[in-house]
Amino acid sequence: MLIVKKFGGTSLMDAQRIITAARRAVDAAAQGNQVIVVVSAQGHTTDQMVKSAGAITQIPSEREMDAYLASGEQMSAGLMAMAIQSLGQKAVSLTGWQAGLLTDSVHGNARVTGLTNHRIKEELEKGNIVVVTGFQGINAAGDITTLGRGGSDTTAVALAAFLKADICRIYTDVDGVYDKDPRKFSDAVRFEQIGYADMLTLARQGAQVLHDRCVELAMEYGVKIRVLSSFRPGPGTLVSE
Ligand code: ADP
Ligand code: ASP
Ligand code: MG
């Protein structure tokens, strides 16, 4: 099977969590699967970067903001590849542009339009776990773009769609998709399974657990998503037809 696993910021907060996430990827590879790992920036890195830019200028160039913000994911990807290697498994990290993830030119909220090279496939065939930076791509002019806050989910689903992965697993800090935010409402109920249309409605209403564009892409390409906790075992929620 080809599996895409995406780890969000809280799942990569510190070295221990990165190693835990790396172990999940290595276990999946040891079972004979090809594995792509998509990473977000660690913890609240992106928020801090937005603040740092704000201390320089209130009207940053959108192009430079993207060039800057994309580096948070690049740090995570390097660390994740090192963690996987330290567990004895081959791994390589790729940025959005190295992976060939093409987008339009709307800096700060770019839409994924395609995958322009075969680098990920080639690295998988060499026996690597391929770690790809979430949240970023490259436009036709060769400039770095970002996909909007929370956009690493969309990177994961886009890669799953274009490379025809069997499943896209999204690891986060809650154990699935609920009818409302489980951090705010103690009576929230977890879905075992949810259809694309209902998930899209939840995402558009602001349920942060999945980026709305990742749900749109999943629906268009029929990508099965399983939302899981990074921290505790459980079935999570299947997002599918
Ligand atoms: P990550 O950093 O892993 O991408 P996010 O913070 O983007 O994680 O998304 C997970 C958060 O989404 C949870 O901590 C939860 O508070 C919030 N959330 C909002 N609505 C929902 C919902 N309906 N079901 C699950 N989580 C939700
Ligand atoms: N790091 C980016 C953000 O904080 C992307 C993501 O986490 O999905 O919005
Ligand atoms: Mg998120």
Side-chain angles (χ1 to χ4, degrees):
M1 288 219 298
L2 173 60
I3 304 176
V4 177
K5 289 174 182 274
K6 178 260 173 179
F7 295 94
T10 41
S11 307
L12 302 168
M13 193 83 96
D14 53 33
Q16 203 46 55
R17 288 189 181 183
I18 290 179
I19 292 167
T20 302
R23 199 164 283 128
R24 283 186 192 278
V26 171
D27 287 349
Q31 286 162 16
N33 300 297
Q34 289 188 322
V35 182
I36 298 169
V37 175
V38 172
V39 288
S40 291
Q42 286 183 274
H44 302 291
T45 302
T46 310
D47 292 332
Q48 281 155 11
M49 293 176 92
V50 169
K51 263 195 207 145
S52 300
I56 301 279
T57 171
Q58 287 305 308
I59 40 162
S61 138
E62 290 176 336
R63 180 190 183 280
E64 300 315 324
M65 197 65 178
D66 275 357
Y68 174 53
L69 290 185
S71 66
E73 271 68 13
Q74 198 174 335
M75 290 194 272
S76 290
L79 290 173
M80 175 62 75
M82 287 184 236
I84 293 169
Q85 288 166 356
S86 75
L87 296 171
Q89 159 69 42
K90 283 172 69 179
V92 66
S93 71
L94 299 175
T95 61
W97 66 266
Q98 286 176 306
L101 196 71
L102 192 69
T103 72
D104 65 19
S105 290
V106 182
H107 283 292
N109 198 26
R111 205 174 264 280
V112 173
T113 54
L115 196 64
T116 58
N117 69 38
H118 302 291
R119 185 74 191 271
I120 295 179
K121 274 273 173 213
E122 286 162 12
E123 297 296 348
L124 286 171
E125 274 150 29
K126 287 185 212 160
N128 284 301
I129 289 179
V130 182
V131 183
V132 182
T133 51
F135 180 53
Q136 59 182 268
I138 189 172
N139 66 15
D143 286 331
I144 293 170
T145 54
T146 64
L147 310 184
R149 297 303 307 271
S152 294
D153 298 331
T154 297
T155 306
V157 171
L159 295 180
F162 299 146
L163 297 169
K164 300 189 172 47
D166 297 280
I167 183 89
C168 179
R169 299 205 170 116
I170 305 267
Y171 292 89
T172 185
D173 58 359
V174 287
D175 65 349
V177 178
Y178 284 72
D179 59 344
K180 51 197 169 203
D181 189 339
R183 295 197 178 283
K184 293 192 186 139
F185 301 93
S186 57
D187 63 339
V189 178
R190 183 174 56 81
F191 296 104
E192 287 291 325
Q193 192 269 338
I194 183 169
Y196 294 123
D198 290 338
M199 186 63 238
L200 192 54
T201 303
L202 270 180
R204 285 186 178 152
Q205 285 166 353
Q208 225 188 316
V209 63
L210 288 179
H211 193 229
D212 55 356
R213 283 194 181 155
C214 103
V215 186
E216 288 170 9
L217 268 176
M219 189 150 132
E220 185 179 343
Y221 287 88
V223 175
K224 289 195 189 81
I225 303 174
R226 193 171 282 280
V227 178
L228 295 154
S229 165
S230 270
F231 312 119
R232 27 193 174 116
T237 299
L238 177 69
V239 184
S240 65
E241 207 63 73

